[in-house]
């Protein structure tokens, strides 16, 4: 049931982005976005497990939804409440599952964009402070316990920084799946679609969603530019790749 909340939040995000602007395509777009988000091998394989990936993602999606609400709070009725709640939820997700760190750059860009859109630059500090509080709420006790036992809040990670005497003074990094060149960076999402290449996990799998999202970035940009020139149907069609993305 908890993992199922991701589906509801995906639908709400699709509705939040597209709304009724897609015309008769609005509902199909919303449903398609949910199906794309929930049908990947990285999702299906984790349903019902205790790895906490699909639990942490609930907080991440909820945080993004709150931040989008904050972006449209033009009246300023809740100028800092929504960004604070969004930051706290993402920080809590980070504390519960450190692998959600890869969302941090995108979330930071979202916060800065909202601050620029609303002209309330204190949102950056508010959201950042709330994010720190959420992180401590999710992982503070665990980090304190690791510090007491091993003199490192992230033991055994980053021991080149914390220098715990209980592990080698080096950063523990699994470099098997790191991108090592610009060409590899550009083609990396498409490598996921090839089940014969083990580029992103311990087991072989196929996931075309990354390649689809990667392609839709360009499609969405072109559609958005076209909608700036024309109205009516062209404007509605511009929301199709955006909703899919």
């Amino acid at each position: 049931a908890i993992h199922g909340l991701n589906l509801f939040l995906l639908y709400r995000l699709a509705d939040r982005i597209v709304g009724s602007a897609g015309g008769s395509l609005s509902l199909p777009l919303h449903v398609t976005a949910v199906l794309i988000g929930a049908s990947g091998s990285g999702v299906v394989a984790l349903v019902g497990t205790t790895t906490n990936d699909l639990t942490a993602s609930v907080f991440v999606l909820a945080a993004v939804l709150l931040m989008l609400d904050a972006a449209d709070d033009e009246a300023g009725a809740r100028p800092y409440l929504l960004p604070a709640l969004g930051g706290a939820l993402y920080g809590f997700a980070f504390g519960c599952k450190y692998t959600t760190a890869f969302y941090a750059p995108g979330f930071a860009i979202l916060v800065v964009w909202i601050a620029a859109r609303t002209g309330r630059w204190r949102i950056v500090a508010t959201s950042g402070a709330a994010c720190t509080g959420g992180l401590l709420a999710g992982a503070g006790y665990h980090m304190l316990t690791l510090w007491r036992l091993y003199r490192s809040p992230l033991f055994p990670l980053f021991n080149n920084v914390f220098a715990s005497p209980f592990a080698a003074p080096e950063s523990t990094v699994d470099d098997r799946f790191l991108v090592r060149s610009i060409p590899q960076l550009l083609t990396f999402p498409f490598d996921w679609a090839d089940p014969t290449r083990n580029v992103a996990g311990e087991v072989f799998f196929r996931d075309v969603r990354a390649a689809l999202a990667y392609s839709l970035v360009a499609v969405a940009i072109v559609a958005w530019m076209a909608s700036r020139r024309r109205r009516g149907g062209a404007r509605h069609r511009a929301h199709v790749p955006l909703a899919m993305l």
Side-chain angles (χ1 to χ4, degrees), residues 49-114:
T49 66
T50 57
T51 61
N52 291 330
D53 294 86
L54 297 183
T55 301
S57 63
V58 170
F59 297 101
V60 174
L61 292 174
V64 173
L65 187 60
L66 286 172
M67 298 306 287
L68 291 178
D69 287 338
D72 285 343
D73 187 23
E74 297 179 357
R78 298 166 292 178
Y80 302 108
L81 176 61
L82 291 177
L85 289 175
L89 284 178
Y90 175 66
F92 186 76
F94 191 2
C96 291
K97 188 77 174 183
Y98 290 152
T99 52
T100 58
F102 73 91
Y103 296 120
F107 192 79
I109 292 173
L110 179 60
V111 172
V112 173
W113 174 73
I114 292 171

Side-chain angles (χ1 to χ4, degrees), residues 24-33:
S24 60
L25 294 176
S26 291
L27 181 58
L29 283 174
H30 298 167
V31 174
T32 302

Side-chain angles (χ1 to χ4, degrees), residues 152-193:
S152 171
L154 299 176
F155 184 85
L157 304 176
F158 300 106
N159 206 43
N160 57 325
V161 176
F162 296 103
S164 168
F166 297 93
E170 59 187 26
S171 178
T172 304
V173 177
D174 186 350
D175 61 358
R176 291 177 296 168
F177 312 115
L178 296 180
V179 176
R180 294 178 172 82
S181 66
I182 297 299
Q184 187 182 8
L185 175 64
L186 296 176
T187 61
F188 190 67
F190 298 97
D191 292 336
W192 289 33

Side-chain angles (χ1 to χ4, degrees), residues 165-225:
F166 297 93
E170 59 187 26
S171 178
T172 304
V173 177
D174 186 350
D175 61 358
R176 291 177 296 168
F177 312 115
L178 296 180
V179 176
R180 294 178 172 82
S181 66
I182 297 299
Q184 187 182 8
L185 175 64
L186 296 176
T187 61
F188 190 67
F190 298 97
D191 292 336
W192 289 33
D194 185 353
T196 65
R197 302 188 63 183
N198 188 18
V199 296
E202 288 79 7
V203 297
F204 289 86
F205 70 95
R206 170 185 288 171
D207 197 334
V208 301
R209 296 177 306 159
L212 178 62
Y214 198 73
S215 302
L216 285 173
V217 170
V219 176
I221 292 174
V222 173
W224 176 77
M225 293 176 64

